[in-house]
Amino acid sequence: MVLEIKDLYVSVEDNIILQGVNLQVKGGETHAIMGPNGTGKSTLASICMGHPKYKIESGDILLDGESILDKSVDERSRMGIFLAMQNPTEVPGVTNFDFVKAALQTRMESGKHLRVGRFILDFEKASDDLKMGKGLAHRFLNQGFSGGEKKRNEILQMKLLKPKVAFLDEIDSGLDVDALRIVGENVTKQKSPDMGLVLITHYQRLLDYIEPDFVHVMINGMIVKTGGKDLIAKIDSEGYDWVKTELGITDFDVRKAPVSLGTCPTKTLK
Amino acid sequence: MKTPTYLDEKGQVVILRSDEIVNRSQSVLKDDLIEVSETDALFIYLEDYERKSLRINLTSKSKTTIYMIFKTSKPNEYDIQINLENRAQADVFSVFRNVEKTNLTVNRRFVLAESANLNIRNALLNMGETTLNELVSLSGVKAEVAIDVLNIGAYNDVFTVNQDVSHQAKSTISNITNSLISNQNAKLNYSVSGRILKGNEFSSCKQTNKGIILNEAGEIGVIPKLYIDEYNVEASHGAAIGQIDEEQLYYLLSRGLTEAEARSLIISGYTKPFVAAIGDEDIKELVERQILKRINEADIL
C-alpha cells in the first residue's frame, strides 16, 4: 500500500488552505503531522477522504498508483481510506451495530452476505478491547456519547473495517489518561505492513503510545519540516516558533486563490 | 368486507364497521361505549364505521394495550373519547390505513384521572387527506402521557395534526415526540400545544419535533406552542426540520455506504425506534410493510 500526495493545493471559499503538500505513506509506516491551529492538518485528512467542502486547485492524491481525485467519498472508503474524525457526527435512531454491519456489507462482493454470527463476535471483541461496555451495539451512533466514547468508537470502526490507510484526526482530544492509553494500545496493535497510519495531533502524549516513524510539521498549509521522534520532544518543549524562525515563515503567509474577473467580450470578424 | 386474517388469532377483538359489529373480547360493548377491563391486548378494528362516535373506558388500576386499526375507503370522521380512571395504565397504538386516497378525520380526546399513565403511538402512513385532532386532559394529580408519532407522507398527501395537552392538575407530565418525513408534494402540518394551567406546579411539558423534507415541493410545518401559567414547572419545545443532514450523510459515506444506503439508514433512524416499541408482532409487521411501501412509493431512495 502506498498513498501519495503530490504538490497538493486546496482551497475553501477562495482561501488557499494547502499550498503544495507532498507526502508519501507506505504500508506499515506511521506518520505524525503536527502544527499550530489552523495550518491545514485536518483539511489534509478531509481532502483525502473527499469532503465536498474543499476544492482541489492542483496536485494529485494516489492510492497504489491510482488517482482518487475523481472518486466519491464512499468509493474512497471502499478503496481503503479511513478517517477517524475530530468531531464524529451523531446519527439518531441508527444503532452502532446496524451502521458497522452496513459498512462491512457494502464492501462485500455482490451476492455475498456478511456472516452475522462472526460479525457479532468481532464487534463484541473490539468493544471489549476498547472497554466500551456491553450495550454499545444497541446504542445510537454517537448519540449521547461522551467525547472519549466518540473517539473510541472511531477506533472500533477502524478495527472492524481494516483500512489500508487511516487518518486519525486529533484522536487524543477529549480523552483522559486511561482512555488515551486504551486507544493508543489498540491502534498500535492494529499496525501492520498492510496499513499506513497518519496521526494528526498537537501533543506528544498520543505519540508516547503510538510511536511514529516520521514526524512532519505543517505550517501555513505546507509541510515545512520532517524528522524523527526527536522533533516531537523539541516541539513539546519549545512550540513552533523556532521552526518559523529557522525557516523564515510569517503568520500571514496565506495566499488567496486566483479569482476570475470574467472574460472580455470578443467579436468575430466576418 | 373481509377482516384481516391476523385478527382471527387474537383473543380480544372488537370489529366496528358499517355492516357488522363484533365483540370477541372480555370488554363490555354497549352502544358506543367499550368498558375495558385488564387485558394483555385489545384490538379495535374500525372499517368505515358509520356511527362515527366511540367511547372507551379503562377501569381503575387496569393495565392494557389497545391497538386501534383504522381502515378507510370513503370519507369519514370519527369522534372518540378515551378515559383512563385512577391509576389505569394504557398503551394506545393507532395505525391508519386507507385503501384509496380519501379524507379521514379523527377527533380523539383522552382524559386521564389521578396517576393514570398513557402512551399514545400513532403510525400515520396512509394516503389522502388526514386530519387528526388529539386533545389530552391530564385532569388528575400525577397523570402522565407520552405521545410518539411517526408520519410519512408522499405524493399529494396532506396531514393536518393538532395535538393539545392540557395540564389540569399538579405534578402531571407530558412528552410529545413527532418524527415526520415528507417526500414529493406531501404536506405535513402540525400544531403542537402544551398548556400548564395556574396552580399546577411541579408539572413537566415537553415537545420534540423532527422532520426530513426529501423533495423541494414537500412541506413540513410545525408550530410548537407552550402556554405556561405557573412558575414552578418544566417546559420545553424544539423543532428541527430540514433536508437530510449533510454531515450525517458525509459521515456514513466516509465508512463506505453508498448514498442510497446512507439515506436509507438515516431514514431508518426515524422509523426503527418507533417500530421497535410495537409489542404485537403482527402489527409490527403491518407497520413495517406500510413503511416500506411508503418509502418505495415515495421514491425516497
Side-chain angles (χ1 to χ4, degrees):
Chain A
M1 189 295 298
V2 186
L3 178 82
E4 294 168 278
I5 297 166
K6 291 185 170 176
D7 201 21
L8 193 67
Y9 282 77
V10 172
S11 67
V12 59
E13 292 168 359
D14 293 337
N15 285 316
I16 293 278
I17 306 292
L18 300 185
Q19 306 189 69
V21 173
N22 288 286
L23 182 68
Q24 188 180 69
V25 181
K26 292 181 183 165
E29 290 179 356
T30 300
H31 293 247
I33 301 180
M34 304 182 80
N37 290 324
T39 55
K41 303 184 297 296
S42 295
T43 301
L44 180 64
S46 294
I47 201 74
C48 288
M49 195 70 252
H51 196 294
K53 187 170 99 177
Y54 301 101
K55 184 184 171 196
I56 294 186
E57 299 290 341
S58 64
D60 207 350
I61 306 170
L62 301 106
L63 183 64
D64 292 331
E66 184 187 353
S67 175
I68 61 166
L69 295 191
D70 62 343
K71 305 291 183 195
S72 60
V73 177
D74 54 313
E75 284 171 327
R76 292 180 195 205
S77 170
R78 293 195 296 275
M79 286 173 80
I81 295 175
F82 181 87
L83 170 58
M85 299 190 188
Q86 209 178 120
N87 297 305
T89 309
E90 295 182 5
V91 188
V94 175
T95 63
N96 260 297
F97 185 84
D98 285 346
F99 169 57
V100 182
K101 186 157 80 71
L104 282 168
Q105 179 64 56
T106 198
R107 285 166 159 72
M108 302 191 77
E109 287 173 35
S110 175
K112 289 198 173 177
H113 292 283
L114 190 70
R115 289 174 58 204
V116 178
R118 178 77 252 167
F119 170 65
I120 291 170
L121 292 174
D122 290 347
F123 191 99
E124 285 179 354
K125 170 81 171 56
S127 179
D128 285 347
D129 288 347
L130 286 152
K131 302 206 175 354
M132 295 213 56
K134 290 284 176 202
L136 175 70
H138 304 293
R139 290 176 71 184
F140 295 144
L141 186 52
N142 295 323
Q143 193 179 31
F145 282 31
S146 67
E149 282 180 317
K150 282 184 179 176
K151 297 299 174 77
R152 280 186 279 166
N153 201 31
E154 295 290 280
I155 300 304
L156 178 136
Q157 292 167 35
M158 185 181 85
K159 280 169 80 91
L160 293 169
L161 298 179
K162 297 181 174 62
K164 286 182 179 175
V165 58
F167 290 83
L168 310 187
D169 189 4
E170 294 194 22
I171 202 74
D172 48 345
S173 66
L175 292 182
D176 60 35
V177 180
D178 291 331
L180 184 67
R181 180 179 50 76
I182 291 165
V183 164
E185 286 171 357
N186 274 273
V187 172
T188 299
K189 264 188 209 164
Q190 216 192 332
K191 278 189 179 185
S192 87
D194 300 325
M195 187 179 82
L197 262 179
V198 181
L199 311 171
I200 292 166
T201 185
H202 285 286
Y203 306 109
Q204 182 181 357
R205 56 182 195 164
L206 176 69
L207 306 175
D208 290 340
Y209 294 102
I210 312 169
E211 200 171 300
D213 302 300
F214 304 93
V215 178
H216 309 279
V217 177
M218 199 164 181
I219 295 177
N220 289 353
M222 290 176 283
I223 290 177
V224 295
K225 196 168 186 67
T226 295
K229 281 178 279 184
D230 52 328
L231 201 52
I232 307 168
K234 188 157 187 186
I235 290 167
D236 211 44
S237 60
E238 298 178 35
Y240 297 101
D241 284 347
W242 66 273
V243 183
K244 293 178 187 172
T245 308
E246 188 179 296
L247 300 172
I249 299 166
T250 65
D251 284 337
F252 305 102
D253 189 19
V254 180
R255 281 187 254 159
K256 282 274 183 187
V259 177
S260 170
L261 299 174
T263 52
C264 298
T266 56
K267 191 174 179 183
T268 307
L269 295 172
K270 288 181 182 172
Chain B
M1 283 190 266
K2 203 177 160 192
T3 312
T5 50
Y6 63 81
L7 289 177
D8 295 345
E9 293 162 11
K10 307 298 179 194
Q12 310 284 323
V13 181
V14 175
I15 296 169
L16 302 168
R17 55 186 171 200
S18 54
D19 59 348
E20 68 171 340
I21 294 173
V22 178
N23 183 9
R24 283 198 282 115
S25 76
Q26 291 170 339
S27 303
V28 177
L29 171 62
K30 192 178 176 189
D31 297 325
D32 66 344
L33 175 66
I34 303 175
E35 282 279 357
V36 182
S37 51
E38 178 134 349
T39 177
D40 283 343
L42 171 66
F43 294 80
I44 302 174
Y45 180 76
L46 298 103
E47 183 173 356
D48 297 328
Y49 182 52
E50 286 172 354
R51 257 191 229 169
K52 302 181 192 314
S53 68
L54 182 67
R55 287 178 297 140
I56 300 169
N57 200 41
L58 294 149
T59 53
S60 180
K61 297 181 185 173
S62 63
K63 193 175 174 184
T64 308
T65 299
I66 298 175
Y67 293 95
M68 300 189 81
I69 303 128
F70 294 84
K71 191 169 182 184
T72 310
S73 60
K74 54 189 180 186
N76 208 346
E77 180 168 352
Y78 293 109
D79 287 309
I80 297 168
Q81 177 152 340
I82 299 176
N83 296 318
L84 276 74
E85 294 178 359
N86 290 352
R87 298 188 185 181
Q89 290 180 47
D91 281 1
V92 177
F93 183 90
S94 305
V95 57
F96 301 84
R97 306 190 66 198
N98 293 11
V99 290
E100 290 170 24
K101 290 185 180 183
T102 188
N103 294 355
L104 172 67
T105 299
V106 177
N107 305 309
R108 288 202 296 198
R109 180 157 189 238
F110 299 86
V111 181
L112 279 69
E114 186 181 331
S115 299
N117 190 308
L118 172 66
N119 291 314
I120 303 170
R121 294 195 176 92
N122 297 330
L124 287 160
L125 307 164
N126 52 307
M127 296 184 285
E129 288 189 26
T130 307
T131 303
L132 178 62
N133 298 311
E134 296 209 304
L135 306 178
V136 180
S137 299
L138 300 172
S139 57
V141 175
K142 293 185 179 173
E144 193 170 335
V145 66
I147 303 173
D148 196 355
V149 175
L150 174 66
N151 188 174
I152 304 178
Y155 296 111
N156 292 312
D157 296 339
V158 178
F159 291 89
T160 306
V161 177
N162 299 302
Q163 297 162 315
D164 196 319
V165 178
S166 181
H167 293 250
Q168 298 166 355
K170 285 182 183 177
S171 304
T172 47
I173 297 172
S174 68
N175 208 334
I176 300 175
T177 306
N178 294 319
S179 302
L180 318 171
I181 300 173
S182 161
N183 195 39
Q184 295 166 326
N185 300 320
K187 292 177 174 49
L188 283 56
N189 298 305
Y190 277 67
S191 170
V192 189
S193 303
R195 302 166 198 273
I196 299 181
L197 310 182
K198 186 113 189 117
N200 299 315
E201 54 190 358
F202 311 120
S203 293
S204 169
C205 175
K206 293 178 181 170
Q207 307 171 9
T208 307
N209 303 284
K210 54 180 183 172
I212 302 182
I213 302 170
L214 296 161
N215 189 297
E216 283 181 11
E219 273 181 32
I220 296 178
V222 177
I223 306 173
K225 288 169 278 189
L226 291 172
Y227 302 93
I228 310 298
D229 197 13
E230 180 56 61
Y231 289 104
N232 198 5
V233 298
E234 279 181 24
S236 67
H237 64 73
I241 293 154
Q243 295 180 332
I244 282 189
D245 186 288
E246 290 295 325
E247 283 305 314
Q248 287 181 355
L249 200 58
Y250 169 68
Y251 188 72
L252 301 195
L253 294 174
S254 78
R255 300 304 186 246
L257 277 73
T258 62
E259 186 163 342
E261 289 168 341
R263 282 173 167 270
S264 171
L265 203 58
I266 291 168
I267 290 165
S268 80
Y270 274 63
T271 60
K272 272 197 172 177
F274 183 87
V275 173
I278 304 171
D280 184 84
E281 287 302 317
D282 291 313
I283 297 292
K284 189 181 274 192
E285 200 181 313
L286 172 73
V287 170
E288 279 175 336
R289 273 206 313 271
Q290 263 188 289
I291 289 171
L292 272 179
K293 199 164 168 251
R294 294 299 284 164
I295 287 174
N296 290 338
E297 272 177 8
D299 196 23
I300 282 170
L301 307 182

